[in-house]
Amino acid sequence: MRWVWIALILGVALLIHVAWGSLSHWKRAETWQRLASPGALSAAHASLEATCVACHTSVTGVDAVKCIACHANNTSLLQRQPTAFHADITNCRECHVEHQGVNQRPTNMVHTALARIGLQQLADAEKASREPGSGIHVQLLHWIEEQGKAEHGSAGVPSLTPEEAVLRCATCHANEDRHFRLFGEDCALCHGTARWTIAEFRHPSARSLDCAQCHQAPPSHYMEHFRMVSQRVAGKPHAQVNQCYLCHQTTAWNDIKEVGWYKHH
Ligand code: HEC
Ligand code: HEC
Ligand code: HEC
Ligand code: HEC
Ligand code: HEC
Ligand code: HEC
Ligand code: HEC
């Protein structure tokens, strides 16, 4: 299953059959036992405050196996498109920080870490299946290094890190696509990974006739409802569905031109 996940989230064609070797662990010889806790745990883990070994192992430090032992089978997490990748991941601390105090949720999404984990799993898989240094991951890592040296991010478009650039955004975010696929699958053409809003964006004027180029009408507009309700409410019996501008303002879809706010029911 793992190679499927990686092929999906990384925007590269991976037609390699791989035998998965053991995954690398955090091999730093931590001396955490002798250290004081770096800070209070999050509210969710507060009950583990006295049980350091619930998450830490003397040899490997924070042990993902221990996190997984308590958190496997979280169906809502695995069924939700953006977080479904949890099914195939064996690193946790890259995005789940701890000891930040009870008021801090222990999550910080880091897309660069996500890409690095995917590439590392890919590298491990290739190492197990062929000569080291010959695989696609080497080309990818080389490409990332080159990208890092080059300028990226043109004016107005938020720049991705070179690692982020290998991610296929729509795999995890298609369900959040406000544009009904009208703008394609490559969200990163216009969006960065920190937030969906784009500070530079100025919406076209309410006098624009191009609304339908950027907006998809709801299914009800292609059914009897359009003639029976929409056209009547707007007082535009002859308007075609594609002439959004005849009935709509740019404020909100319920702000109907020359009518005002339309309240359902
Ligand atoms: C719920 C799981 C959990 C428990 C319980 C927990 N820790 Fe941690 N700890 C973490 C995570 C996750 C990190 C990594 C935090 C980061 O990278 O920001 C961490 C980091 C640390 C670090 C910094 C070194 C390192 O590995 O990054 C120390 C020291 C530490 N913990 C000590 C403790 C002690 C002492 C206790 C018990 C009093 C404890 N921890 C209990 C999850 C836990
Ligand atoms: C002994 C069991 C146990 C261990 C070990 C454990 N957790 Fe948890 N964790 C819980 C419980 C219980 C909750 C609160 C209820 C829930 O969300 O399932 C929780 C909550 C969470 C949450 C949601 C918190 C929030 O407020 O959004 C995250 C994320 C999480 N754990 C990640 C981790 C990670 C990463 C590790 C390993 C460093 C870890 N957990 C280790 C039991 C555990
Ligand atoms: C690339 C970043 C990343 C990695 C790596 C990662 N997670 Fe998450 N995780 C997230 C994000 C983002 C969320 C969603 C948090 C939210 O909704 O606020 C999440 C949610 C969770 C939740 C559900 C919290 C809740 O509110 O129910 C748990 C439990 C969890 N992760 C555990 C883990 C464990 C265990 C690992 C390691 C096997 C892991 N995560 C690895 C980013 C990551
Ligand atoms: C493997 C899944 C995955 C991939 C691939 C991915 N993301 Fe995300 N992204 C997440 C998760 C998980 C979150 C945390 C928010 C959540 O849980 O919904 C997130 C958060 C975001 C946010 C912030 C949302 C907010 O309101 O806080 C933006 C913006 C974003 N991603 C853009 C992108 C872009 C652009 C790409 C492609 C370069 C991309 N993502 C690739 C999983 C992914
Ligand atoms: C051609 C450029 C373009 C592409 C491609 C694109 N978007 Fe957008 N998107 C925009 C613009 C412009 C906005 C408005 C930003 C604003 O109001 O700040 C926007 C807004 C959004 C918003 C709402 C932001 C908010 O909170 O108001 C989401 C969510 C979103 N896009 C998701 C996606 C996803 C997911 C993809 C890929 C499947 C994608 N977009 C592809 C240009 C684009
Ligand atoms: C160049 C592309 C473009 C054109 C042309 C355009 N819009 Fe938009 N519009 C967007 C984007 C991008 C957003 C923000 C993402 C979203 O909510 O769909 C947006 C947001 C909106 C919203 C707010 C949606 C909400 O739920 O907050 C309304 C209403 C709207 N547009 C109406 C119109 C109307 C009416 C026209 C024609 C007069 C029009 N738009 C022309 C791109 C465009
Ligand atoms: C004949 C006038 C008319 C035209 C043309 C029209 N609409 Fe509407 N639209 C309405 C009215 C009235 C409502 C609110 C009542 C309803 O659901 O019919 C509405 C509701 C909506 C809603 C909100 C639906 C909901 O479920 O909340 C969206 C989104 C929308 N229109 C988008 C569009 C887009 C995009 C276009 C152009 C491609 C368009 N409309 C063309 C009159 C129109």
Side-chain angles (χ1 to χ4, degrees), residues 169-170 173-174 176-179 183-191 196-199 201:
C169 321
H173 293 298
E176 291 161 84
D177 184 0
R178 287 286 183 88
H179 324 296
F183 294 170
E185 294 243 302
D186 190 1
C187 320
L189 281 176
C190 307
H191 292 287
W196 289 113
T197 50
I198 301 171
F201 177 66

Coordinates of all heavy atoms in Angstrom, one line a residue, residues 169-170 173-174 176-179 183-191 196-199 201, ligand 5:
C169 N -1.1 18.5 -4.9 CA -2.0 19.1 -3.9 C -3.4 18.5 -4.0 O -4.0 18.3 -3.0 CB -2.1 20.6 -4.2 SG -0.6 21.4 -4.6
A170 N -3.9 18.2 -5.2 CA -5.3 17.8 -5.3 C -5.6 16.5 -4.7 O -6.7 16.2 -4.3 CB -5.7 17.8 -6.8
H173 N -6.5 17.9 -1.3 CA -7.3 19.1 -1.2 C -8.4 19.2 -2.2 O -9.1 20.2 -2.3 CB -6.4 20.3 -1.2 CG -5.5 20.4 -0.1 ND1 -6.0 20.5 1.2 CD2 -4.2 20.4 0.0 CE1 -4.9 20.6 2.1 NE2 -3.8 20.6 1.4
A174 N -8.6 18.2 -3.1 CA -9.6 18.3 -4.1 C -11.0 18.7 -3.5 O -11.8 19.4 -4.1 CB -9.7 17.1 -5.0
E176 N -11.6 20.5 -1.2 CA -11.7 21.9 -0.7 C -11.7 22.9 -1.9 O -11.6 24.1 -1.7 CB -10.5 22.2 0.2 CG -10.6 21.5 1.5 CD -9.2 21.5 2.2 OE1 -8.8 22.6 2.8 OE2 -8.5 20.6 2.0
D177 N -11.7 22.3 -3.1 CA -11.6 23.1 -4.3 C -12.9 24.0 -4.5 O -13.9 23.5 -4.8 CB -11.4 22.2 -5.5 CG -11.2 23.0 -6.8 OD1 -11.2 24.3 -6.7 OD2 -11.1 22.4 -7.9
R178 N -12.7 25.3 -4.2 CA -13.9 26.2 -4.3 C -14.2 26.4 -5.8 O -15.3 27.1 -6.0 CB -13.5 27.6 -3.7 CG -13.4 27.6 -2.3 CD -14.8 27.6 -1.6 NE -14.6 27.8 -0.2 CZ -14.6 29.0 0.4 NH1 -14.7 30.1 -0.3 NH2 -14.4 29.0 1.7
H179 N -13.4 26.0 -6.7 CA -13.5 26.4 -8.1 C -14.1 25.3 -8.9 O -14.1 25.4 -10.2 CB -12.2 26.9 -8.6 CG -11.3 27.6 -7.6 ND1 -11.7 28.8 -7.1 CD2 -10.1 27.3 -7.1 CE1 -10.8 29.2 -6.2 NE2 -9.8 28.3 -6.2
F183 N -10.4 25.7 -12.4 CA -9.1 26.2 -12.5 C -8.1 25.1 -12.6 O -6.9 25.3 -12.4 CB -8.7 27.1 -11.2 CG -9.5 28.4 -11.1 CD1 -9.5 29.1 -10.0 CD2 -10.2 28.8 -12.2 CE1 -10.2 30.3 -9.9 CE2 -11.0 30.0 -12.1 CZ -10.9 30.8 -11.0
G184 N -8.5 23.8 -12.8 CA -7.6 22.7 -12.9 C -7.2 22.1 -11.6 O -7.8 22.5 -10.5
E185 N -6.3 21.2 -11.6 CA -5.9 20.4 -10.4 C -4.7 20.9 -9.7 O -4.4 20.5 -8.6 CB -5.6 18.9 -10.9 CG -6.8 18.2 -11.4 CD -7.1 17.0 -10.5 OE1 -6.2 16.2 -10.3 OE2 -8.3 17.0 -9.9
D186 N -4.0 21.8 -10.4 CA -2.7 22.2 -9.8 C -2.9 23.5 -9.0 O -2.6 24.6 -9.4 CB -1.7 22.5 -11.0 CG -0.3 22.7 -10.4 OD1 -0.1 22.7 -9.2 OD2 0.6 23.0 -11.2
C187 N -3.3 23.3 -7.8 CA -3.6 24.4 -6.8 C -2.4 25.3 -6.7 O -2.5 26.5 -6.5 CB -4.0 23.9 -5.5 SG -5.1 22.4 -5.5
A188 N -1.2 24.7 -6.7 CA 0.0 25.5 -6.5 C 0.3 26.5 -7.5 O 1.2 27.4 -7.3 CB 1.2 24.5 -6.3
L189 N -0.4 26.5 -8.6 CA -0.2 27.6 -9.6 C -0.6 28.9 -9.0 O 0.0 30.0 -9.3 CB -1.2 27.4 -10.8 CG -0.8 26.4 -11.9 CD1 -1.9 26.3 -12.9 CD2 0.5 26.8 -12.5
C190 N -1.5 28.9 -8.0 CA -2.0 30.2 -7.4 C -1.8 30.2 -5.9 O -1.8 31.3 -5.3 CB -3.4 30.4 -7.8 SG -3.8 30.4 -9.5
H191 N -1.8 29.0 -5.2 CA -1.8 29.0 -3.8 C -0.5 28.5 -3.2 O 0.2 27.6 -3.8 CB -2.9 28.0 -3.3 CG -4.3 28.5 -3.6 ND1 -4.9 29.5 -2.9 CD2 -5.2 28.1 -4.5 CE1 -6.1 29.7 -3.3 NE2 -6.4 28.8 -4.3
W196 N -5.2 29.5 2.3 CA -5.8 29.5 1.0 C -6.1 30.9 0.5 O -6.2 31.2 -0.7 CB -7.1 28.7 1.0 CG -7.0 27.3 1.2 CD1 -7.3 26.5 2.2 CD2 -6.3 26.4 0.2 NE1 -6.9 25.2 2.0 CE2 -6.4 25.1 0.8 CE3 -5.8 26.5 -1.0 CZ2 -5.8 24.0 0.1 CZ3 -5.3 25.4 -1.7 CH2 -5.3 24.2 -1.1
T197 N -6.2 31.9 1.3 CA -6.5 33.2 0.9 C -5.2 33.8 0.2 O -4.1 33.3 0.5 CB -6.9 34.2 2.1 OG1 -5.9 34.0 3.1 CG2 -8.3 33.8 2.6
I198 N -5.4 34.7 -0.7 CA -4.3 35.3 -1.5 C -4.4 36.8 -1.3 O -5.4 37.4 -1.8 CB -4.4 34.9 -3.0 CG1 -4.4 33.4 -3.1 CG2 -3.3 35.6 -3.8 CD1 -4.7 32.9 -4.5
A199 N -3.5 37.3 -0.5 CA -3.6 38.8 -0.2 C -3.7 39.7 -1.4 O -4.5 40.7 -1.3 CB -2.4 39.1 0.7
F201 N -5.1 39.1 -4.2 CA -6.3 38.9 -5.0 C -7.3 40.0 -4.9 O -7.8 40.4 -3.8 CB -7.0 37.6 -4.7 CG -8.2 37.3 -5.5 CD1 -8.1 37.1 -6.9 CD2 -9.5 37.3 -4.9 CE1 -9.3 36.9 -7.7 CE2 -10.6 37.0 -5.7 CZ -10.5 36.9 -7.0
Ligands
HEC5 C1 -5.8 30.0 -11.4 C2 -5.6 30.2 -10.0 C3 -6.1 29.3 -8.9 C4 -6.0 27.9 -8.9 C5 -5.3 27.0 -9.9 C6 -6.7 27.5 -7.7 N1 -7.2 28.5 -7.0 FE1 -8.1 28.5 -5.2 N2 -8.4 30.5 -5.3 C7 -7.8 31.4 -6.3 C8 -8.1 32.7 -5.9 C9 -7.7 34.0 -6.7 C10 -8.9 32.7 -4.7 C11 -9.4 33.9 -3.9 C12 -8.4 34.2 -2.8 C13 -8.9 35.2 -1.9 O1 -10.1 35.5 -1.8 O2 -8.1 35.6 -1.0 C14 -9.0 31.3 -4.3 C15 -9.6 30.8 -3.2 C16 -9.6 29.5 -2.8 C17 -10.2 29.1 -1.5 C18 -11.0 29.9 -0.5 C19 -10.1 30.8 0.3 C20 -10.9 31.5 1.3 O3 -10.8 31.1 2.5 O4 -11.5 32.5 1.0 C21 -10.0 27.7 -1.4 C22 -10.3 26.8 -0.3 C23 -9.2 27.4 -2.6 N3 -9.1 28.5 -3.4 C24 -8.8 26.1 -2.9 C25 -8.2 25.7 -4.1 C26 -7.8 24.3 -4.4 C27 -8.0 23.1 -3.5 C28 -7.2 24.3 -5.6 C29 -6.7 23.1 -6.4 C30 -7.6 22.0 -6.6 C31 -7.3 25.7 -6.1 N4 -7.8 26.5 -5.1 C32 -6.8 26.1 -7.3 C33 -7.1 31.0 -7.4 C34 -6.8 29.7 -7.7

